[in-house]
Amino acid sequence: MSTNSTEDRSRLRDKSLGSLIGRLPELVSRMIRGEIQLAKQEMSTKLKAAGVGAGLLVGAAILAIIFLQIMLAAAIIALSLVLPAWAAALIVGGVVLIIVIVLALVGIKALKTGVPPVPTEAVASVKSDIRAVKGEGEYDNAAR
């Protein structure tokens, strides 16, 4: 019943029991459509977050490969020339390593927010609707 407004609810209170029972299939159908729409929106948001996290992890992996190349170049320079050039290569490698770590941590955090892509808000809303239909509590539309 996520699409019902305050006006709809006040009109429902004025109806007779027979007319309400007659409208029950329409109301249930509207409630189900609303819950399906909520689930779609929630799944889309979570999958987008997972996509961003995966993209950041790919970026971290690419920079990790570059880091290995830089460290290999630094080791070669250090062994063959024993000059300050290897120190510069190690500094660049350290900076790339810091970037890799930051990207990986941000990517993991983004993946955790989107996985598993379960529509938890929609499930809670359906449970609330079921409680309201059973008369076990007042319908809570404030959370939507």
Side-chain angles (χ1 to χ4, degrees):
M1 292 190 135
S2 61
T3 59
N4 277 355
S5 66
T6 307
E7 189 176 285
D8 289 338
R9 281 194 259 151
S10 66
R11 268 190 283 142
L12 285 176
R13 285 188 202 115
D14 298 337
K15 301 278 183 175
S16 70
L17 181 60
S19 65
L20 285 177
I21 291 174
R23 288 193 55 201
L24 188 60
E26 173 199 345
L27 295 174
V28 169
S29 174
R30 192 173 357 158
M31 178 184 69
I32 290 171
R33 282 193 301 272
E35 298 300 346
I36 290 171
Q37 184 64 29
L38 177 64
K40 284 180 185 178
Q41 290 172 348
E42 189 175 351
M43 291 291 288
S44 174
T45 301
K46 288 188 176 193
L47 289 174
K48 284 178 187 175
V52 168
L56 289 171
L57 285 177
V58 167
I62 290 169
L63 286 176
I65 292 170
I66 293 170
F67 169 73
L68 289 175
Q69 293 172 345
I70 291 170
M71 295 313 297
L72 287 173
I76 291 170
I77 291 170
L79 290 174
S80 66
L81 298 175
V82 191
L83 294 173
W86 65 269
L90 287 176
I91 290 171
V92 171
V95 169
V96 172
L97 177 61
I98 290 170
I99 293 170
V100 167
I101 291 169
V102 168
L103 285 177
L105 292 175
V106 171
I108 288 169
K109 182 178 179 182
L111 273 175
K112 285 183 179 179
T113 62
V115 175
V118 177
T120 54
E121 291 177 25
V123 169
S125 178
V126 168
K127 288 179 181 179
S128 173
D129 292 341
I130 290 170
R131 283 193 307 272
V133 168
K134 288 181 176 179
E136 295 177 357
E138 195 153 321
Y139 179 74
D140 182 21
N141 199 21
R144 296 183 195 184

